[in-house]
Amino acid sequence: MSKKKKHFSLLLTTLLTVSLALSACGGDSKNNAGGEAASGGNKAAESTEKPVELIWYTIGPPQKDMDKVLTEVNKYTLEKINATLDIKMLDFGDYTQKMQVMAASGEPMDILFTSSWAFDYVQNARKGAFLQLDDLLKNQGKGIVDTIDPAFLEGSKVDGHNYAIPANKELPAQEVFRFNKELLDKYKLDLTSVKTMADLEPLLKTIKENEPGVTPYAMVKDFMPIMPFDYVIEKMPMAVYMDTKDYKVINILETPEIKEALKTVRKFYQAGYISPEVATTSSVDDLYKAGKWFTDRASTQPMADNLWSVSYGYPVVSTPASQPYIYNWSVMGSMQAISANSEYPEKAMEFLNLLNTDPVLRNMIDSGIEGVHYEKISDNMIKNLPDAKNYDMPTFSLGNIMINYLNEGDPENKWEEFKKFNDAGINAPLLGFNFDTSKVTNEIAAVQNVKEEFWAPLMTGSVDSEEYLTKANEKLKAAGLDKIIAEAQSQIDAWKAANNK
Amino acid sequence: MGKIGKSAKDVLKNKVLLFMVLPGTLWFLFFSYLPMVGTVIAFKEYRFSRDGFWASIINSKWVGWDNFKFLFSTNDAYLITRNTLLYNIAFIVLGLILSVLLAVVLSEIANKKLAKLYQTGMFLPYFLSWVVVGYFAFSFLSSERGLLNAMFGSNISWYSESKYWPFIIIFVFLWKAVGYNSVVYLAAIMGIDKSLYEAAMIDGASKFQQIRGITLPMLKPIITIMTLLAIGKIFYADFGLFYQVPRDSGTLYSVTNVIDTYVYRGLKTTGEIGMSTAAGLYQSVVGFVLVLTSNYIVRKFDKDSALF
């Protein structure tokens, strides 16, 4: 390439870059202007106000009939709050990563799903991804405050402020052992004595000896035995004891409780009750589909046995494995936030308010169009039509579930049971405390890597726990776990003092 | 003015050629040069701003080299650097030898139809995603239902024995990449002047002598360029290969954890964009320096083979 050509290509490059940068800026300023005009319009008379379109990103597989349902939904919302919706679905596996990129790059959006397990609520609230909602809740969101269990709004505050609207649903998390009832009946096994994991042994033994094709304990790599801890960060080794008085943060891998629990898991693994490949198994859906499992553990909600039985096509029963505790992560299990860059925050809150209080809208977004996706069999009970498979939204993610229609076969008092379940919940010690990781991000990255290396093999009993616990603790220390624990302790102490715990 | 006029004339003269490089230029502009502006994030604590991406960058706090610390702060730093480098060196050396060998063998097959068939067969794995390859490997290595254990009646728990994995990783990589690379060399071989071989045959050179005396020397420039380009990526590891194929098995980390998987695992909970950008910048800068150095060395010995 000659020198001149080089000059020329440089010129071309510069020109292109500049024009690109300009067009990007141009786009921005236009959007801003639109935003101002719209918020200015709010003050004008309602009748002359131009309807706004709210962009809503939420979790779940994209739905075939989304456009059809949206047309109906928009007719309704236009009349009620003078706004229309554009719902964009991102599938469960993609949601966190895609939203991280979209939020970081300033993609236009108004409402978005967030939770403790997908697009982490606390972290992103601190990074500034969401709008602070305290005032909006007071003005446009009164209905929400009146309707949902106050524990949700209280428990989901970050540094004293609300950044998202939690779905009104089950508040505590309770673990149960589930059983494939067909096998239970076949061998006349008794559940009354099953209280802990160790109690399962005689049952598992029977199944192992008599049912060669069945995996006695269906387990995935995320498994953790039930232990009496409340974690500072979920699935990281820093925690306090459930019955703590002094809120001392400990490394759970150094406690006698974990040694005891892992002994049981290891025994099960060696006896062949668990798949030898459990440490790399991320899903056992195939076992559920084929009914080739005997027991496992899951978190429950009222009437969950019915739900599971319907979804698997054979009876499933369960028995409690833990107390119903209200954790930070269970309170933040499903929330809708307003994006920091939303052009119409007031409208977005008006919509969320309607979604959480208006059964017509809530059910339309949840179940689709009457006569197409479902039919009513009584005032508040519906039955799915064949087309329901084209519009099958994850109910829990969309807001207040207690104004939903009942499904065929649900007991009349379903939502009463939910309320009872919520009232029975016991507050976990760290409920309301949110760890600010910004001072220890380097240590967390390093500890995370060590944790990933040892966690699954240890928790699933795939390796000898004595040997690996020692190794893991050495590496965790080297990676800076003590510094994280010290930081967590000082934050917890300050929080404790401020809240008179 | 005269200069611009001359440039314009140059453009006019070469308009066809320039038009042909336009798509490539645009691609580089959009996907390589434009994003480079974003490397500034590596030195910031990135926080969202409601006025969009640029405002977020401008309003975020400068943190100097803090974002780079996590890469070097633990004992794992040595491990991941060693793994990344050694695997890439093995890939470059073995990949080169096998691809050239295959290309030479393919070019010597008399039946051109069969040669095309073999070539396509070896080319195919290149188009599979690592997730699919991961399941292929799993069907061989599963300890319960795997083909290998069934064939040899062994009872090896492949996904928890780290000693086998350096070989498995290298084998899987070569299986996937060699077919594609050999096509590049095959194309170069096809471009060699046939009269050279005819002359050699008249002089009584054997096939082996022809390969050593003609084919390999003629391939030298392209071999050098391909190798230099590969060296530029020596600090990058194929995430899919090191994450999907070992099924993210913790017990294998000592031989499968590389820079890319380390960064992913470390940051997936906190999602700090600044830190992942820092990791990317570090990899690019080291790669860049290595390319410059190796190109400099090549130029010392053989000016024509160097990249620039």
Side-chain angles (χ1 to χ4, degrees):
Chain A
M1 213 190 247
S2 79
K3 249 214 169 111
K4 262 165 219 142
K5 271 187 217 154
K6 262 187 192 159
H7 278 308
F8 174 72
S9 57
L10 191 71
L11 182 79
L12 198 76
T13 315
T14 325
L15 269 176
L16 256 171
T17 318
V18 168
S19 66
L20 267 173
L22 282 177
S23 65
C25 297
D28 265 353
S29 58
K30 203 167 74 201
N31 284 347
N32 285 346
E36 275 152 30
S39 49
N42 267 345
K43 285 169 205 137
E46 285 279 325
S47 55
T48 58
E49 191 184 333
K50 232 180 115 219
V52 301
E53 188 188 59
L54 298 170
I55 303 168
W56 181 12
Y57 280 91
T58 190
I59 200 164
Q63 300 299 324
K64 210 173 154 194
D65 279 0
M66 178 58 85
D67 287 345
K68 226 192 257 178
V69 176
L70 263 185
T71 323
E72 293 300 311
V73 167
N74 284 341
K75 269 186 219 155
Y76 188 76
T77 52
L78 200 61
E79 185 189 313
K80 283 269 175 184
I81 56 169
N82 198 27
T84 58
L85 279 182
D86 182 7
I87 305 182
K88 300 184 192 234
M89 309 281 297
L90 297 173
D91 215 340
F92 289 100
D94 304 335
Y95 192 81
T96 305
Q97 291 205 324
K98 284 196 176 160
M99 282 314 284
Q100 262 169 6
V101 177
M102 284 197 279
S105 61
E107 180 84 11
M109 56 179 110
D110 298 291
I111 305 171
L112 64 161
F113 177 86
T114 172
S115 70
S116 50
W117 51 274
F119 194 54
D120 188 274
Y121 166 66
V122 177
Q123 303 264 7
N124 286 297
R126 288 219 170 98
K127 279 188 199 161
F130 313 134
L131 219 56
Q132 199 236 85
L133 303 181
D134 295 0
D135 290 337
L136 287 173
L137 263 174
K138 262 181 230 141
N139 300 319
Q140 282 85 359
K142 277 200 204 85
I144 296 175
V145 182
D146 295 341
T147 314
I148 72 175
D149 193 323
F152 276 111
L153 283 173
E154 194 50 43
S156 62
K157 279 187 177 164
V158 178
D159 306 328
H161 302 289
N162 284 103
Y163 290 89
I165 310 298
N168 197 27
K169 56 185 199 72
E170 73 277 11
L171 190 57
Q174 183 174 24
E175 292 284 311
V176 291
F177 295 114
R178 302 194 300 175
F179 298 89
N180 184 342
K181 190 158 182 290
E182 282 166 7
L183 290 170
L184 212 57
D185 293 347
K186 187 170 168 190
Y187 296 99
K188 301 193 174 53
L189 298 168
D190 179 31
L191 291 185
T192 47
S193 63
V194 176
K195 299 277 181 280
T196 65
M197 191 165 174
D199 300 336
L200 289 170
E201 170 137 45
L203 289 75
L204 291 168
K205 195 156 180 267
T206 313
I207 299 297
K208 178 77 190 165
E209 279 164 5
N210 296 299
E211 293 282 339
V214 169
T215 304
Y217 198 124
M219 195 186 275
V220 292
K221 62 184 292 189
D222 294 330
F223 176 84
M224 261 177 84
I226 291 174
M227 288 174 288
F229 303 117
D230 190 13
Y231 298 86
V232 175
I233 302 175
E234 269 314 289
K235 305 225 157 200
M236 291 278 265
M238 308 80 72
V240 300
Y241 277 102
M242 266 309 178
D243 57 358
T244 189
K245 292 281 174 293
D246 56 359
Y247 289 79
K248 188 171 171 355
V249 182
I250 44 148
N251 168 10
I252 65 149
L253 299 184
E254 284 174 340
T255 60
E257 282 83 2
I258 194 163
K259 285 190 186 130
E260 205 46 50
L262 291 187
K263 249 184 225 155
T264 310
V265 193
R266 180 70 177 155
K267 197 160 71 183
F268 285 7
Y269 182 85
Q270 285 177 322
Y273 302 155
I274 307 168
S275 153
E277 239 129 44
V278 59
T280 55
T281 305
S282 49
S283 158
V284 283
D285 282 348
D286 52 333
L287 296 181
Y288 296 144
K289 271 199 190 108
K292 295 280 183 200
W293 61 285
F294 170 64
T295 185
D296 74 349
R297 221 185 63 215
S299 26
T300 190
Q301 51 165 245
M303 323 291 164
D305 287 6
N306 291 350
L307 219 68
W308 291 320
S309 302
V310 168
S311 121
Y312 294 153
Y314 50 83
V316 173
V317 292
S318 63
T319 178
S322 76
Q323 303 271 6
Y325 278 110
I326 305 174
Y327 300 94
N328 281 317
W329 60 263
S330 67
V331 173
M332 301 170 185
S334 160
M335 321 176 79
Q336 296 288 351
I338 297 179
S339 170
N341 66 351
S342 167
E343 287 179 31
Y344 318 107
E346 292 87 7
K347 268 286 172 249
M349 183 53 93
E350 265 182 64
F351 169 73
L352 286 176
N353 193 51
L354 197 66
L355 180 71
N356 282 289
T357 53
D358 184 325
V360 179
L361 176 67
R362 179 67 180 84
N363 280 298
M364 202 163 11
I365 289 184
D366 194 68
S367 315
I369 307 164
E370 188 176 353
V372 179
H373 301 107
Y374 68 89
E375 60 182 16
K376 272 191 162 174
I377 46 179
S378 79
D379 256 1
N380 63 345
M381 195 172 279
I382 58 166
K383 187 178 139 191
N384 278 347
L385 293 173
D387 266 6
K389 67 175 187 303
N390 295 333
Y391 193 78
D392 184 15
M393 299 280 272
T395 302
F396 73 92
S397 69
L398 299 168
N400 189 359
I401 66 167
M402 301 199 195
I403 52 173
N404 276 340
Y405 297 135
L406 298 173
N407 285 312
E408 195 185 11
D410 277 347
E412 207 46 56
N413 63 349
K414 183 174 177 183
W415 303 133
E416 294 306 312
E417 289 293 321
F418 266 76
K419 286 191 183 117
K420 251 190 253 166
F421 184 66
N422 287 354
D423 290 341
I426 310 160
N427 288 355
L430 293 181
L431 180 64
F433 169 74
N434 297 303
F435 187 34
D436 181 357
T437 55
S438 57
K439 278 192 195 138
V440 285
T441 34
N442 286 316
E443 286 75 15
I444 288 195
V447 164
Q448 185 83 29
N449 261 290
V450 180
K451 183 228 118 181
E452 295 270 327
E453 180 171 355
F454 291 100
W455 208 258
L458 266 174
M459 296 298 172
T460 57
S462 308
V463 292
D464 178 58
S465 57
E466 294 278 322
E467 183 195 337
Y468 271 76
L469 276 175
T470 320
K471 269 199 216 168
N473 282 324
E474 270 168 27
K475 276 196 96 173
L476 283 170
K477 279 217 161 56
L481 180 64
D482 291 341
K483 195 176 161 197
I484 303 176
I485 288 182
E487 174 67 23
Q489 188 71 65
S490 81
Q491 286 185 27
I492 287 175
D493 288 346
W495 168 78
K496 203 176 90 180
N499 293 281
N500 300 318
K501 291 272 172 181
Chain B
M1 193 63 213
K3 234 182 187 174
I4 294 173
K6 201 148 187 280
S7 302
K9 217 183 265 170
D10 273 349
V11 172
L12 227 56
K13 200 169 78 189
N14 296 316
K15 59 176 183 280
V16 179
L17 288 176
L18 280 172
F19 189 69
M20 281 162 78
V21 298
L22 189 67
T25 315
L26 287 180
W27 193 89
F28 272 111
L29 266 177
F30 281 116
F31 296 109
S32 295
Y33 285 93
L34 204 59
M36 267 187 214
V37 181
T39 47
V40 69
I41 297 173
F43 303 96
K44 293 218 163 199
E45 188 184 67
Y46 189 83
R47 289 294 175 266
F48 307 132
S49 155
R50 66 165 292 157
D51 299 321
F53 179 64
W54 298 108
S56 304
I57 293 187
I58 291 161
N59 295 336
S60 294
K61 195 167 71 194
W62 289 101
V63 291
W65 296 95
D66 277 5
N67 285 334
F68 291 82
K69 278 186 189 147
F70 83 108
L71 282 173
F72 308 101
S73 57
T74 63
N75 306 340
D76 283 339
Y78 163 72
L79 187 86
I80 54 173
T81 314
R82 181 201 72 182
N83 283 347
T84 313
L85 273 177
L86 287 185
Y87 275 119
N88 271 318
I89 290 171
F91 294 164
I92 291 173
V93 174
L94 291 174
L96 174 72
I97 295 173
L98 280 178
S99 317
V100 172
L101 197 74
L102 264 177
V104 171
V105 170
L106 279 174
S107 70
E108 296 295 340
I109 293 176
N111 185 337
K112 287 299 158 205
K113 273 205 178 128
L114 271 183
K116 278 270 172 296
L117 187 74
Y118 297 144
Q119 190 187 328
T120 315
M122 282 180 303
F123 200 52
L124 272 180
Y126 179 78
F127 295 103
L128 296 177
S129 92
W130 280 117
V131 179
V132 177
V133 175
Y135 278 102
F136 274 6
F138 184 58
S139 66
F140 280 93
L141 301 175
S142 160
S143 66
E144 278 177 296
R145 282 160 295 190
L147 210 55
L148 277 188
N149 277 353
M151 256 159 54
F152 300 110
S154 55
N155 192 20
I156 300 168
S157 172
W158 292 97
Y159 287 95
S160 49
E161 297 273 353
S162 59
K163 60 179 182 243
Y164 304 114
W165 279 86
F167 305 101
I168 297 174
I169 295 268
I170 291 173
F171 177 82
V172 172
F173 174 84
L174 292 176
W175 173 75
K176 195 166 183 292
V178 157
Y180 177 79
N181 286 330
S182 69
V183 170
V184 175
Y185 296 115
L186 189 60
I189 293 175
M190 291 305 162
I192 299 172
D193 193 345
K194 290 281 171 295
S195 58
L196 290 173
Y197 292 100
E198 281 159 20
M201 266 189 275
I202 290 165
D203 289 343
S206 68
K207 262 269 128 70
F208 184 66
Q209 281 170 323
Q210 286 174 32
I211 290 169
R212 224 184 50 179
I214 303 169
T215 316
L216 290 184
M218 296 296 276
L219 280 181
K220 208 173 78 184
I222 184 118
I223 289 177
T224 320
I225 288 174
M226 295 284 283
T227 309
L228 281 177
L229 288 177
I231 288 174
K233 292 218 166 97
I234 205 159
F235 254 58
Y236 288 91
D238 206 321
F239 181 80
L241 170 62
F242 291 96
Y243 191 82
Q244 304 288 358
V245 178
R247 294 171 70 83
D248 190 24
S249 171
T251 33
L252 305 179
Y253 280 10
S254 56
V255 293
T256 59
N257 211 358
V258 288
I259 297 178
D260 296 72
T261 51
Y262 183 83
V263 170
Y264 173 76
R265 286 181 187 123
L267 301 182
K268 69 178 176 187
T269 37
T270 51
E272 283 292 341
I273 291 176
M275 285 159 81
S276 46
T277 313
L281 184 62
Y282 165 63
Q283 289 175 305
S284 321
V285 169
V286 175
F288 181 63
V289 171
L290 282 174
V291 169
L292 285 186
T293 325
S294 37
N295 189 64
Y296 174 77
I297 296 170
V298 169
R299 215 163 53 176
K300 280 249 147 160
F301 290 102
D302 177 7
K303 215 167 172 220
D304 293 332
S305 298
L307 261 181
F308 41 83

